[in-house]
Each structure stands twice: as C-alpha cells, then as structure tokens.
Amino acid sequence: MKIGVLTGGGDAPGLNAVIRAVVRKCLANGHEMIGIREGWRGILENKYETLDRNSVSGILHRGGTILATSRTNVYKTEDGEAKVIKNMKDNGIDALVAIGGEDTLGVASKLAKAGVKIVGVPKTIDNDLSATDFTFGFDTAVNVATEAIDRLHTTAESHNRVIVVEVMGRHAGWIAAYAGIAGGADIILVPEIPYDINEVCDTLHKRHEGGKSFSIVVASEGAVAKKKEGEVGMILQDQKLDSFGHVRLGGIGNFLAEQIEKITGYETRSTVLGHIQRGGTPTAFDRVLGTRLGFCAAELVEENKWGYMAALKGTSVVGVQLAEATGELKTIDLQLMDVANTFFG
Ligand code: F6P
C-alpha cells in the first residue's frame, strides 16, 4: 500500500519519534510511505514528500515535526471531504496515519466514517484526549514547566515576591497540576475548578503570616474565576477563532498578578511560559511513548483496523476506536488536586 502520514494541530515534542516509528515499521512491512505536509492542508493542496529510511534518520531527538503542521479543518473547507478522497485517489494514496489531538483526530474519525482507510495517533501537550492514559508531549511540557517553577522559586524568595506562572491547558489543567505538584507550588489554578480570588489571597496571607515571604502560584491559561458579579471568565488574547472554533487564550498570569498585588499588597510578578512548553527536545519518556504509539499505528494498518487509534492503557499500547478518543475531553483527575491542596498556603 501507499500510506500517507500527517501531523496536525499544535506541535508536541515526540512527533518525530512517531513519524520515524510509523515509517520504519511500515517500510519493513513492504509499504510505500509518503509525507503529507502541514496537516490536513497538505492533502487538500497536494503537498507531499517521499518518506524513506533516510528521511526519518536523525530525527528522534528533535522537537517539532519534520512534516510541518497546521490547524486546517477539512470540514470547514468547501467540499473538503470530497477533495481529500479525490486527492488520495489521484495520488495513489491508499491509507492515512493521522497524528494529532482532538481536532485532527475528530476530522480523522469523520473521514473514517466516510470510508477513508485511516488510523490515528494521539498527540497533545495538554494531555486532554480521552481513551489514552497519556499523550506524548505532555511529559516534556511538564518537565519544562517544572524547571521554570524551580527557577522562579529562587528569584521569588530573593525578592520576597509572589510569582504567578501561566502554563498551557485550555480546558484541562494537567500541566498545571503535574508541574505545580512537582515544583511545590503554593497554589494551583485549573480550568476544572473555578477559583475565588479572595480565597486565593487568603491562602497567600496565611502562608506569609506563617513566616514565608514569597509564594508561587501556577495557573492554567484556561483557569476561570467563580462567576460572581464583577469577576470574569476565561482571559482571551483576542476574539478571533481558529478553524476549529477555538479562541486564543492567554493573559491569566498578568490578570491574577495585578489582582493579588492589589488585594494582598505583596509585590507580585507573572511569567507566561507559552510555546516554550511545546518546543525543543522531547524527554526520554515522550520518545519511547511516541515510538510505541507509532509502532502500534503501523500494526493497526497491517490489521486493517481503520478508524482505530493507538493508545496507552496502563503500561500497554493498544488499539481503540477513534470515536472513543474524540467524544469528550479528558479533564484532570480531581484526586490530583486533593494531593496538591495539602501543600497550599
Ligand atoms: O496544542 C494545545 C495548545 O498547546 C494549547 O494548550 C494552547 O492553548 C494552544 O495549543 C496554543 O495554540 P497556538 O500554537 O495556535 O497558539
């Protein structure tokens, strides 16, 4: 078969490990491999490159994706589905391996229903995809955020400051919870549990009255205040929507820092980690997970398991239905926040 591979949505460290594994295993099984550039845009606009053993050599440790990515939505493009099917036929592409998050895999799931031979691989630093215990990229993002929190601790302590660290996580606070626990945060705010700024400030007060002169607050970009008069919802960078209907989040760090300084009188700063969490070298965990998921995707191809996705379940990597992964987002395990709470204040 001639098999196309694409990466869609925001990049995540470990994408190249997946591409390498899919290509090496499918080549070994006798298939021809073709890279589709820039996610779904590449198949709509016929942007391809041949993938051989050489093209995936030396990429395991590299961040980003050698195939480039985009947030193009096939179903927001005129006749998108028909174009995908036609372009696959015209270019002799028999099947697809789509590596992506809820948006990319949502498209993959619809295409599978339309009869396209497709398997998926779950990706997102946010770790919010259902049907898999972890997504690759998450571990790297948590390590980057934890190192940042460690560094911010020393400067916060030296200056007797509160520092608010804004991390990624639109609808799920996985990065904030993990990095916050690993970095010993004094408060963690996640989208799943709306916060009350006065309660946040009370907790900081108690800590400072107890003898501490600095604090670290970790906040997901999607953290929201409890709906009370005068309080706001998600903080947005602007009102623009991408082709999957997502707004651009960002600004919660500054917003909280201003409020905390005003209410407590403690000098407060904020740091936004932003895309630093998505860039650079993947951790060993993400390289291994990406490799195992890519290997499994190649096996799903061999077994003609179209409409399936590779997933981590416990310590095993198995095939699950794509529809299972894209039904609803995986929010954090609230037990994590019970653990984190023990160390607040
Ligand atoms: O891929 C998920 C994510 O990292 C979110 O956490 C974040 O809100 C978003 O991507 C940022 O997207 P972009 O790269 O388009 O600014």
Side-chain angles (χ1 to χ4, degrees), residues 10-11 71 123-126 168-170 221 248-249 275 278:
D11 66 345
R71 293 196 188 272
K123 164 248 56 159
T124 166
I125 64 160
D126 292 353
M168 279 189 170
R170 272 177 208 274
E221 60 183 350
R248 275 183 76 196
L249 298 180
H275 293 83
R278 288 223 310 247

Side-chain angles (χ1 to χ4, degrees), residues 11 16 23 51 55 59 72 82 129 172 194 202 217 239 244 279 285 309 337 341 343:
D11 66 345
N16 288 326
V23 171
L51 289 176
S55 11
I59 64 168
T72 305
L129 264 177
D202 283 351
V217 177
Q239 300 297 323
F244 287 94
F285 180 89
M309 164 188 110
M337 293 309 290
N341 243 302
F343 305 97

